[in-house]
Amino acid sequence: MIKVIVAGFMGSMGQKTVEMIKQTDDFQLVAGLGPHAQEIDKSEYHLADDVQVFDQLNKVETDADVWVDFTLPNSAFENVKFAIEHGIHPVVGTSGMSDAHLTELTQLAAEKHVGGLIAPNFGLSAVLLMKFAQEAAKYFPDAEVIEMHHEDKLDAPSGTAISTAKMIAEAREQNPSASKTEATIDGARGGDVEGVPVHSVRLPGYVAHEQVLFGGSGEALTIRQDSFDRSSFMSGVKIAIPAVIKETSLMIGLENIL
Amino acid sequence: MIKVIVAGFMGSMGQKTVEMIKQTDDFQLVAGLGPHAQEIDKSEYHLADDVQVFDQLNKVETDADVWVDFTLPNSAFENVKFAIEHGIHPVVGTSGMSDAHLTELTQLAAEKHVGGLIAPNFGLSAVLLMKFAQEAAKYFPDAEVIEMHHEDKLDAPSGTAISTAKMIAEAREQNPSASKTEATIDGARGGDVEGVPVHSVRLPGYVAHEQVLFGGSGEALTIRQDSFDRSSFMSGVKIAIPAVIKETSLMIGLENIL
Amino acid sequence: MIKVIVAGFMGSMGQKTVEMIKQTDDFQLVAGLGPHAQEIDKSEYHLADDVQVFDQLNKVETDADVWVDFTLPNSAFENVKFAIEHGIHPVVGTSGMSDAHLTELTQLAAEKHVGGLIAPNFGLSAVLLMKFAQEAAKYFPDAEVIEMHHEDKLDAPSGTAISTAKMIAEAREQNPSASKTEATIDGARGGDVEGVPVHSVRLPGYVAHEQVLFGGSGEALTIRQDSFDRSSFMSGVKIAIPAVIKETSLMIGLENIL
Amino acid sequence: MIKVIVAGFMGSMGQKTVEMIKQTDDFQLVAGLGPHAQEIDKSEYHLADDVQVFDQLNKVETDADVWVDFTLPNSAFENVKFAIEHGIHPVVGTSGMSDAHLTELTQLAAEKHVGGLIAPNFGLSAVLLMKFAQEAAKYFPDAEVIEMHHEDKLDAPSGTAISTAKMIAEAREQNPSASKTEATIDGARGGDVEGVPVHSVRLPGYVAHEQVLFGGSGEALTIRQDSFDRSSFMSGVKIAIPAVIKETSLMIGLENIL
């Protein structure tokens, strides 16, 4: 039985984590951390009576094995430091932590031999897409990325698409074909990420989707993932919880434990 | 039985036309026009002995009903003028004729009441895609175009993709959603064609493919066409030959007879 | 301003209709019909104070122009009869009404010159897919249907896929190619619907998706629709409301007013 | 420089191999084996003058490092035996060799410490698809296979699709979801290969294409490969030639050296 504490248990992802833990036989929710946590009605947040709640990091006292964290970057940094120092394995779903903070936490985890994971994306399909794209790039140096999101997404390309393109660029063992194409309309050939064109579609109805297209002599390979809703993130968290216990360092990216 | 003359019968598309006519019960090949045509061995170009061949336009004497033309723009202009003047219905697969020439031929055909067709693309799947995209745009003002071609294609976007985007822009009855997206990498949002983003993929292996993506509240509609080889053009020519006989004006674009 | 009454306003689709009417300038919600409707707190169901509510059909007194109905087949039959008799134009989202009932309502509407619509599917993308498939089948007699739904869907193929296949079979002007394929595993070639193979995929994560694949010499045409959530139905209802007022007969299927 | 002999050099795949070797700096064609090979005009088969040709296996004398074989199963068996016995590394593109023959060759290669490869499919995209599908099945036990081929293909499902389904079934670490779906039309749910539904589409225009669809809570992963023409096979042969030299056993399947 793996004992888990959830930081940010009152938020949307925190609550999804609470529910996932309940439905998993091998996991036990032992504590939650959140602002004003001591004033709440536990049942409203689907906590059993014996789950401890803390409203400040410095009050936390727990025998949890794993620390799941869905808080903002600054809190997450302090939380994870605390977790590592107390031998609790962090599983962190926060994106946007600074490089300095990531380095500090990685060093601390190495020192203390505490395995953990910080992942910007816990969606299994997205992470497998990146992994497979990286591997295919060895054989197919010619690749392009197309991502599709709802029209309210503020940035383009998506962070995942940029990461995918970078991974492809790094994994290539040959130069891509020298294309003779000239764009007669600016932008038609997409955005350039280290030599990999990235195309961003923004349309109502779409949720979050990514495709990688590879082409070679007489053939093509396409890898596509569709995220229909954020419930998909929980499959990744569920895989990460038992995995970090067996590790002795802090990893960045879910692909490292797949 | 429809009698056909093929101008440019020695070229690749001309030869495909010769073969298609042979395989179609209702069509009869009566003549061919091509440079040095009188010096050739007819059987090498799959012509029966009774097919007349001419090496110059001013030598042509024929009772053909339909004039199929796969020559270069300048020859095609002279050829089509000749055909219309002689009451032969032109079916022309040449792209790149000037607007002035198109206007002149259209007027001449109207005067003479001779139906005909000039089409830059005889691929049925491409033409249907444009037709459906135009219709869908009435209900889904939010649309993007993605086209994929082999890496040797010189231009981007493809002519068909630009035409498709323009048709969508014209057919829209509502404004598309005001997107909040900002591109952090130039070109990520594609090339803009009258408010319709167009994305061009160039990869080895691919032949000629086009997709139109429509998005609306909670749903998406995608129309895709794949041209695997140019044999696909013959389906369009086959449909055009009997169709132009029933018309009394010169039409531009295969969609006008579908 | 078009005045609307919603039968079944307390259900999920009824509530979506209430919301859509509120957000549309030209529509006004004037009444709702539903069991126990007189005992409810109107604001809980997002009704303004001046919206009339009725708990039984025979109590309804309204000057509505359009009657939107999302009730079960038997209620829907009685409701629509009532609506037509009172000159109110029905827009009905109920599937499963018997042929006898459909015939009776169609005759009544014709007699009274009241336009209306009964549609099993108000999703615009699904209806356009069927419309385009029907048109493409004229030129591409070779077609197959693939539909993908979540693993909880009880039947296979989906009703929409069966309808699409039937429409294709009917629209074909040539016989499909005589395939030489023999299935070495039963079912590999899909279910046969009037000569159109239909393939049903059932996987968790998927919502409701349908593809039609057409193939011809050297080319392919694919039409695909994705329903991500039922909010998509409201676009169809919104189009139907003003359309039925201009009609004088009862139509079956949203495609008839597109 | 790797010296290569091509058995079946006069056939279509043999000739593609000859051409590929010419275009690869590190490879040298030293010999060819084929019926009546000594009566031919070498230049017609694109062989340089110094390439040796043999018309019978027992006449072959060569210092080749690698033996590429595109002959029929029975010849291929004798050829590969000969090659292994002479310390030449076989790369075999023949499918349909019997299990008894495969076992015998594998044992012989192990004894002689000669690395080699027998692969039914040298298309990189198809082999990577199978590899990725196998890996994804660990995380997504719910999967279905759809393959699309031209209407002249005699069997359904394709051999590659059956292999893919079997690999998925074997790689799964959890049971797939218990689907509640009942097919109302026979075959709609596809052919069953060890619990993985396989759907075969047969349409003119299509060449050879395969998709694997995975579904999980709130997300989907799709891997697709398209073979547009058989030139794609040469990429795999090109990778295999230097790879087998470094091996000491006979492997079945290109995936083993990727």
Side-chain angles (χ1 to χ4, degrees):
Chain A
M1 185 68 89
I2 301 173
K3 291 176 188 162
V4 185
I5 174 171
V6 178
F9 74 94
M10 292 154 79
S12 149
M13 293 307 290
Q15 280 291 298
K16 282 196 166 65
T17 309
V18 166
E19 198 188 337
M20 182 271 290
I21 291 172
K22 273 192 176 173
Q23 287 170 5
T24 310
D25 286 345
D26 304 342
F27 299 169
Q28 186 192 351
L29 183 67
V30 295
L33 169 63
H36 310 292
Q38 260 149 343
E39 297 157 27
I40 63 157
D41 173 0
K42 285 182 184 179
S43 69
E44 245 185 65
Y45 289 91
H46 310 97
L47 308 184
D49 279 346
D50 61 349
V51 175
Q52 284 181 288
V53 291
F54 305 102
D55 57 4
Q56 289 184 32
L57 180 59
N58 57 21
K59 293 186 191 162
V60 174
E61 269 185 53
T62 177
D63 61 344
D65 305 302
V66 173
W67 180 295
V68 175
D69 203 298
F70 281 106
T71 64
L72 295 177
N74 279 335
S75 307
F77 170 67
E78 297 297 341
N79 291 348
V80 174
K81 213 161 105 176
F82 178 96
I84 296 174
E85 276 163 356
H86 290 77
I88 311 176
H89 300 270
V91 170
V92 186
T94 306
S95 67
M97 211 181 275
S98 72
D99 284 352
H101 280 176
L102 287 174
T103 308
E104 190 177 334
L105 293 176
T106 307
Q107 285 170 349
L108 185 64
E111 245 168 62
K112 304 277 181 185
H113 301 283
V114 174
L117 176 70
I118 298 183
N121 194 334
F122 272 102
L124 275 177
S125 61
V127 173
L128 287 177
L129 172 141
M130 283 190 269
K131 195 165 188 287
F132 296 159
Q134 212 172 2
E135 206 170 328
K138 282 194 251 172
Y139 305 101
F140 289 105
D142 290 292
E144 306 206 6
V145 176
I146 305 174
E147 50 93 349
M148 291 105 86
H149 281 84
H150 52 89
E151 87 280 22
D152 289 334
K153 186 168 170 60
L154 296 178
D155 54 333
S158 70
T160 309
I162 294 176
S163 300
T164 309
K166 285 183 180 170
M167 282 173 159
I168 289 169
E170 207 174 311
R172 289 204 269 230
E173 299 180 350
Q174 294 161 268
N175 286 328
S177 305
S179 171
K180 293 165 189 152
T181 309
E182 272 192 55
T184 56
I185 296 178
D186 273 0
R189 288 288 290 115
D192 179 88
V193 177
E194 300 180 18
V196 178
V198 179
H199 310 268
S200 300
V201 172
R202 294 289 173 271
L203 286 171
Y206 280 84
V207 188
H209 318 256
E210 189 182 355
Q211 298 181 65
V212 188
L213 285 71
F214 293 96
S217 178
E219 64 181 333
L221 178 70
T222 307
I223 309 168
R224 175 179 176 140
Q225 72 80 223
D226 299 272
S227 298
F228 298 117
D229 68 63
R230 300 194 87 198
S231 72
S232 61
F233 275 38
M234 282 307 120
S235 322
V237 175
K238 194 172 161 179
I239 287 172
I241 287 173
V244 291
I245 293 181
K246 296 179 198 140
E247 301 289 340
T248 56
S249 68
L250 184 66
M251 285 158 304
I252 314 295
L254 184 62
E255 61 276 18
N256 294 295
I257 61 161
L258 291 189
Chain B
M1 187 67 89
I2 301 173
K3 293 177 186 160
V4 184
I5 174 171
V6 178
F9 75 93
M10 293 155 79
S12 149
M13 292 307 291
Q15 280 292 297
K16 283 197 166 65
T17 309
V18 166
E19 197 189 335
M20 181 272 291
I21 291 171
K22 273 192 176 172
Q23 287 169 5
T24 309
D25 287 345
D26 302 342
F27 299 169
Q28 186 192 350
L29 184 66
V30 295
L33 169 64
H36 311 290
Q38 261 150 342
E39 299 157 24
I40 64 158
D41 174 359
K42 282 183 185 180
S43 69
E44 244 185 65
Y45 289 91
H46 310 98
L47 307 184
D49 280 347
D50 61 349
V51 175
Q52 285 182 287
V53 291
F54 306 102
D55 57 3
Q56 288 182 32
L57 180 59
N58 56 21
K59 295 187 190 160
V60 175
E61 270 185 51
T62 177
D63 63 343
D65 305 302
V66 173
W67 180 295
V68 175
D69 203 298
F70 280 107
T71 63
L72 295 178
N74 278 335
S75 308
F77 170 68
E78 295 298 340
N79 291 349
V80 174
K81 213 161 104 174
F82 178 96
I84 295 173
E85 276 163 355
H86 289 77
I88 310 176
H89 301 269
V91 170
V92 186
T94 306
S95 67
M97 210 181 275
S98 71
D99 283 353
H101 280 175
L102 286 174
T103 306
E104 190 177 333
L105 295 175
T106 307
Q107 284 170 351
L108 185 64
E111 247 169 60
K112 305 276 181 186
H113 299 284
V114 174
L117 176 71
I118 299 182
N121 193 335
F122 272 103
L124 276 177
S125 61
V127 173
L128 286 177
L129 172 140
M130 283 190 269
K131 196 166 188 285
F132 296 159
Q134 211 171 4
E135 206 170 328
K138 281 193 250 172
Y139 305 102
F140 289 105
D142 290 291
E144 306 207 7
V145 176
I146 304 174
E147 50 94 349
M148 291 105 86
H149 282 83
H150 52 89
E151 86 282 21
D152 290 333
K153 186 169 172 57
L154 296 178
D155 54 332
S158 70
T160 309
I162 294 176
S163 299
T164 309
K166 284 183 180 170
M167 281 172 159
I168 290 169
E170 207 174 310
R172 288 204 269 232
E173 299 179 350
Q174 294 161 268
N175 287 327
S177 304
S179 172
K180 292 164 190 153
T181 308
E182 273 192 56
T184 56
I185 296 178
D186 273 1
R189 289 287 291 116
D192 179 87
V193 177
E194 301 181 15
V196 178
V198 179
H199 310 269
S200 300
V201 172
R202 293 289 173 271
L203 285 171
Y206 280 83
V207 189
H209 318 256
E210 188 182 357
Q211 297 180 66
V212 187
L213 284 71
F214 293 97
S217 178
E219 64 180 335
L221 178 71
T222 307
I223 309 169
R224 174 178 176 141
Q225 72 80 225
D226 299 272
S227 297
F228 298 118
D229 68 62
R230 299 193 88 197
S231 72
S232 61
F233 275 38
M234 281 307 122
S235 322
V237 176
K238 193 172 163 181
I239 287 172
I241 287 174
V244 291
I245 294 181
K246 296 179 198 139
E247 301 289 339
T248 55
S249 67
L250 183 67
M251 284 157 304
I252 315 295
L254 184 61
E255 61 276 19
N256 294 296
I257 61 160
L258 292 188
Chain C
M1 186 68 89
I2 300 173
K3 291 177 187 160
V4 185
I5 173 171
V6 178
F9 75 93
M10 291 154 79
S12 150
M13 292 307 289
Q15 280 291 298
K16 282 195 165 64
T17 309
V18 165
E19 198 188 335
M20 182 271 289
I21 292 172
K22 273 193 177 172
Q23 288 169 3
T24 309
D25 286 345
D26 304 342
F27 299 169
Q28 185 192 351
L29 184 67
V30 295
L33 169 65
H36 310 290
Q38 261 149 342
E39 299 157 26
I40 63 158
D41 173 359
K42 284 183 182 179
S43 68
E44 245 185 65
Y45 290 90
H46 310 99
L47 307 184
D49 279 348
D50 61 348
V51 175
Q52 283 182 288
V53 291
F54 305 101
D55 57 5
Q56 289 183 32
L57 180 60
N58 56 22
K59 294 186 191 163
V60 174
E61 271 185 53
T62 177
D63 62 344
D65 305 300
V66 174
W67 179 294
V68 176
D69 202 298
F70 281 106
T71 63
L72 296 176
N74 278 334
S75 307
F77 171 68
E78 296 298 339
N79 291 350
V80 174
K81 213 161 103 175
F82 178 96
I84 296 172
E85 276 163 356
H86 289 78
I88 310 176
H89 301 270
V91 170
V92 186
T94 305
S95 67
M97 210 182 275
S98 72
D99 283 352
H101 280 174
L102 286 173
T103 308
E104 191 178 333
L105 294 175
T106 307
Q107 285 170 350
L108 185 64
E111 246 168 61
K112 304 277 181 186
H113 301 283
V114 175
L117 176 72
I118 298 183
N121 194 335
F122 272 102
L124 275 177
S125 61
V127 173
L128 287 177
L129 172 141
M130 284 190 268
K131 195 165 188 287
F132 296 159
Q134 212 172 2
E135 206 170 328
K138 282 195 251 173
Y139 305 102
F140 289 104
D142 290 291
E144 305 207 7
V145 176
I146 305 174
E147 50 94 348
M148 292 105 86
H149 281 85
H150 52 90
E151 87 280 21
D152 290 334
K153 186 168 170 60
L154 296 178
D155 54 333
S158 70
T160 309
I162 294 175
S163 300
T164 308
K166 285 183 179 169
M167 281 172 159
I168 290 168
E170 207 174 311
R172 289 204 267 231
E173 299 179 351
Q174 294 161 267
N175 286 329
S177 304
S179 171
K180 292 164 189 153
T181 308
E182 272 193 55
T184 56
I185 296 178
D186 273 1
R189 290 288 290 115
D192 180 88
V193 177
E194 300 181 16
V196 178
V198 179
H199 310 269
S200 299
V201 172
R202 293 287 172 274
L203 285 171
Y206 280 84
V207 188
H209 319 256
E210 189 182 356
Q211 298 181 65
V212 188
L213 284 71
F214 294 96
S217 178
E219 64 181 333
L221 177 71
T222 307
I223 309 169
R224 175 180 175 139
Q225 71 80 223
D226 299 272
S227 298
F228 297 117
D229 68 63
R230 300 194 87 197
S231 72
S232 61
F233 275 39
M234 283 307 121
S235 322
V237 175
K238 193 172 160 180
I239 287 172
I241 288 174
V244 291
I245 293 182
K246 296 178 200 141
E247 302 288 340
T248 57
S249 67
L250 183 66
M251 285 158 304
I252 315 294
L254 185 61
E255 60 275 19
N256 294 295
I257 61 161
L258 290 190
Chain D
M1 186 67 89
I2 300 173
K3 293 177 188 161
V4 184
I5 174 170
V6 178
F9 75 93
M10 292 155 78
S12 148
M13 292 307 292
Q15 280 292 297
K16 282 197 166 65
T17 309
V18 166
E19 198 190 334
M20 181 271 291
I21 291 171
K22 274 192 175 171
Q23 287 169 5
T24 309
D25 287 344
D26 304 341
F27 299 169
Q28 185 192 351
L29 184 67
V30 295
L33 169 64
H36 312 289
Q38 260 150 343
E39 299 157 26
I40 64 158
D41 174 359
K42 282 183 185 179
S43 69
E44 244 184 64
Y45 289 92
H46 310 98
L47 307 184
D49 280 346
D50 61 349
V51 175
Q52 285 182 287
V53 291
F54 306 102
D55 57 4
Q56 288 183 33
L57 180 59
N58 55 23
K59 294 187 191 159
V60 174
E61 270 185 52
T62 177
D63 62 342
D65 305 302
V66 173
W67 180 294
V68 175
D69 203 296
F70 280 106
T71 64
L72 295 178
N74 278 335
S75 309
F77 171 68
E78 296 298 340
N79 290 350
V80 174
K81 216 162 103 175
F82 178 95
I84 295 173
E85 276 162 356
H86 290 78
I88 310 175
H89 301 270
V91 170
V92 186
T94 306
S95 67
M97 210 180 277
S98 72
D99 283 352
H101 280 175
L102 286 174
T103 307
E104 192 178 332
L105 295 174
T106 307
Q107 284 170 351
L108 185 64
E111 248 168 58
K112 304 277 182 188
H113 300 284
V114 175
L117 176 70
I118 298 183
N121 193 335
F122 272 102
L124 275 178
S125 62
V127 173
L128 286 177
L129 172 140
M130 283 190 270
K131 196 166 187 284
F132 296 159
Q134 212 171 3
E135 206 170 328
K138 281 194 250 172
Y139 304 101
F140 288 104
D142 290 292
E144 306 207 6
V145 176
I146 304 174
E147 50 93 349
M148 291 104 86
H149 282 85
H150 53 89
E151 86 282 22
D152 290 334
K153 186 169 173 58
L154 296 178
D155 55 333
S158 70
T160 309
I162 294 176
S163 299
T164 309
K166 284 183 180 170
M167 281 172 159
I168 290 168
E170 208 175 308
R172 287 203 270 232
E173 299 179 351
Q174 294 162 268
N175 287 328
S177 304
S179 170
K180 291 162 191 154
T181 309
E182 273 192 55
T184 56
I185 296 177
D186 273 1
R189 288 288 289 117
D192 179 88
V193 177
E194 300 181 16
V196 178
V198 179
H199 310 270
S200 300
V201 172
R202 294 290 172 270
L203 284 173
Y206 280 84
V207 189
H209 318 256
E210 189 182 356
Q211 298 181 66
V212 188
L213 284 72
F214 293 97
S217 178
E219 64 181 333
L221 177 70
T222 306
I223 308 169
R224 175 179 176 139
Q225 73 80 223
D226 299 273
S227 298
F228 298 117
D229 68 62
R230 298 194 88 198
S231 72
S232 61
F233 275 38
M234 281 308 121
S235 323
V237 176
K238 193 173 163 181
I239 286 172
I241 287 174
V244 290
I245 294 181
K246 296 178 200 141
E247 301 289 339
T248 57
S249 67
L250 184 66
M251 284 158 303
I252 316 294
L254 183 61
E255 60 277 18
N256 294 294
I257 61 160
L258 292 188

